[in-house]
Amino acid sequence: MKPRVSIVIPSHNRYPQNRYSLYALEQQTFDLSRLEVILVDDASTDDTVKLRHYRPKFRFRYVRNRKKLGVAKSRNVGGRLAEGQVVIFLDAEMIVDRDYVRNHYKHHEAAENNVVIGGEKRAKLYSFLFPGMSKSQIADVCRLAERSEFRTLLRAQGLPSGTPGKIKRSIGKLKRPIPLIGASHIKSFAGLAVCAAPKTNINEILQQLGGRLETSPLRWMVCVGNLSVRKSLFDRLGGYDEDFTEWGTEDVEFAYRLHSAGARFVIEPELWRYHQEHPNPANKIDSGRRNRILLQKKHPVLDVCIRSLKSVQKLDYVFMDEALREHRALRASYSWYYKEFIACIVYMLRRAAVLHERNAKIAELTRGFPSSLKTAVRQRNRLDADGRFPRLVRLFDLLAKRSRRRRR
């Protein structure tokens, strides 16, 4: 009997956290006989290879890359092997609730072009303490140690549970990961809360746009990380872009192509997931910035490049949403008459991303603009006089101001 759902899990050096993630999938209320899980071992050097002998009740396939390919290619390896009608892409360190698969699948029964993502029911989980924890992760653990149940878990592993100073020193001496939870916690799921800390980087798009997200030009930006999609749609788009070999942004690029192909993004509020904390990649910030430049090179349009406002100011998604709605109205009313004006905005946003990646001052954003800057300014003035496109004018001014300030 063919599976209805395939779960693809790319994994590089995430053992035994990936084993915990698999155990959570064994608890699913979805019919396990119709579930397939494909773990793509991206040339791990830890004990992930032990999962070759893993035998759960669902169909399980262990695939090992001969060399490290990265997340995008590894997801594609699993996606191409998937036999289910629906493919869920899940990170190796995610522990999900018992209804996770069922809550994904129901939306794909309703429509073939749905792409399903989770809402705000997510948290960080300290299933292990490990060498190389960051300052913020250690701070999380110290706050968790204010709970008596968490202190009990620390003492069970022979770790101090007293003052923050003692906890910090003990973590600094770790030579190997120390487990704090076991199968019983995952089976009950509710028991995981004792090791959970809130995620501070909550999805600001969801918070700021709320009910207007359904029709927003930004709605594809919420589709990052773990998602589900029809296998036919995944195949039609060719999967993830394998040019993204470093950390980050491959999911954003895939989301934009899904959006361009007419996918409808569904936020399922009951998708509970815990992210098991682990050491952060050493080059995470730099690779993320480089991949943002690559994304904009592949899609040099305002809908994508507007994300680079984060290099200039704190992201205001309401403003971004209104500016893109005005951009649509502008194109509908005047076709490409104001193309130099829009091209100049896109150029300044792309240049801001490049300067940010170089850790350079965000200034002189119009330098090197290949078209006529005077024409772009004249078009800006016409639109300002028109009065119907105030956010686009403000966006232009916000970026161009960086150039004027520098020339003084």
Side-chain angles (χ1 to χ4, degrees), residues 107-311:
H107 292 290
H108 295 286
E109 288 185 301
E112 292 190 3
N113 69 329
N114 281 346
V115 175
V116 185
I117 56 175
E120 297 186 24
K121 288 190 174 181
R122 58 179 187 161
K124 296 182 286 187
L125 185 72
Y126 287 90
S127 53
F128 291 82
L129 301 183
F130 44 85
M133 294 181 74
S134 68
K135 290 182 179 179
S136 63
Q137 289 171 331
I138 294 174
D140 277 343
V141 172
C142 290
R143 283 189 290 268
L144 288 173
E146 296 173 5
R147 306 171 182 173
S148 60
E149 300 95 329
F150 190 80
R151 293 197 297 271
T152 299
L153 295 176
L154 292 176
R155 288 193 294 268
Q157 296 297 331
L159 298 170
S161 60
T163 65
K166 289 182 178 179
I167 293 173
K168 291 177 183 178
R169 286 192 291 274
S170 66
I171 292 175
K173 295 177 182 178
L174 292 178
K175 303 298 183 184
R176 59 181 178 82
I178 304 295
L180 296 181
I181 63 170
S184 62
H185 295 87
I186 299 172
K187 190 171 184 177
S188 70
F189 196 74
L192 296 173
V194 66
C195 295
K199 286 189 77 72
T200 53
N201 60 331
I202 55 178
N203 200 320
E204 292 183 359
I205 303 181
L206 292 176
Q207 280 204 329
Q208 292 187 30
L209 295 185
R212 69 193 295 175
L213 183 66
E214 178 66 24
T215 60
S216 174
L218 298 172
R219 61 189 179 275
W220 61 274
M221 291 189 190
V222 303
C223 186
V224 295
N226 307 289
L227 60 88
S228 65
V229 62
R230 281 269 183 168
K231 175 70 157 62
S232 56
L233 180 54
F234 172 83
D235 289 340
R236 178 155 60 90
L237 294 183
Y240 289 83
D241 189 325
E242 297 184 358
D243 288 342
F244 290 88
T245 57
E246 296 185 285
W247 181 91
T249 312
E250 82 291 330
D251 49 355
V252 177
E253 195 280 336
F254 186 49
Y256 180 69
R257 283 189 289 120
L258 287 167
H259 166 69
S260 300
R264 176 176 177 266
F265 297 99
V266 177
I267 300 170
E268 170 50 60
E270 295 305 316
L271 290 177
W272 251 114
R273 58 258 189 243
Y274 283 108
H275 178 271
Q276 298 180 80
E277 291 297 289
H278 53 75
N280 290 317
N283 62 342
K284 180 177 179 178
I285 294 176
D286 291 341
S287 63
R289 290 177 179 176
R290 286 191 291 269
N291 276 351
R292 179 150 56 102
I293 294 172
L294 177 59
L295 172 68
Q296 295 179 357
K297 181 179 180 181
K298 288 177 174 289
H299 305 287
V301 295
L302 184 57
D303 284 41
V304 172
C305 295
I306 199 168
R307 296 176 75 246
S308 283
L309 268 180
K310 69 190 302 182
S311 300

Side-chain angles (χ1 to χ4, degrees), residues 347-366:
Y347 180 86
M348 289 189 287
L349 288 166
R350 292 184 66 186
R351 181 162 165 76
V354 171
L355 292 172
H356 194 190
E357 191 272 331
R358 296 174 181 171
N359 289 317
K361 185 175 182 179
I362 310 300
E364 297 186 292
L365 297 184
T366 57

Side-chain angles (χ1 to χ4, degrees), residues 283-345:
N283 62 342
K284 180 177 179 178
I285 294 176
D286 291 341
S287 63
R289 290 177 179 176
R290 286 191 291 269
N291 276 351
R292 179 150 56 102
I293 294 172
L294 177 59
L295 172 68
Q296 295 179 357
K297 181 179 180 181
K298 288 177 174 289
H299 305 287
V301 295
L302 184 57
D303 284 41
V304 172
C305 295
I306 199 168
R307 296 176 75 246
S308 283
L309 268 180
K310 69 190 302 182
S311 300
V312 177
Q313 64 175 26
K314 180 177 173 60
L315 288 181
D316 180 345
Y317 289 104
V318 174
F319 170 69
M320 291 163 62
D321 171 73
E322 292 172 345
L324 291 179
R325 289 177 190 268
E326 289 182 4
H327 181 223
R328 288 183 174 183
L330 180 67
R331 291 180 60 179
S333 298
Y334 298 104
S335 186
W336 293 102
Y337 182 77
Y338 288 94
K339 63 180 182 180
E340 284 84 3
F341 169 74
I342 296 298
C344 189
I345 291 176

Side-chain angles (χ1 to χ4, degrees), residues 352-385:
V354 171
L355 292 172
H356 194 190
E357 191 272 331
R358 296 174 181 171
N359 289 317
K361 185 175 182 179
I362 310 300
E364 297 186 292
L365 297 184
T366 57
R367 173 184 282 187
F369 179 54
S371 189
S372 170
L373 182 58
K374 289 184 179 180
T375 300
V377 172
R378 283 198 300 269
Q379 292 176 355
R380 176 259 175 228
N381 293 338
R382 289 196 198 105
L383 288 175
D384 190 25

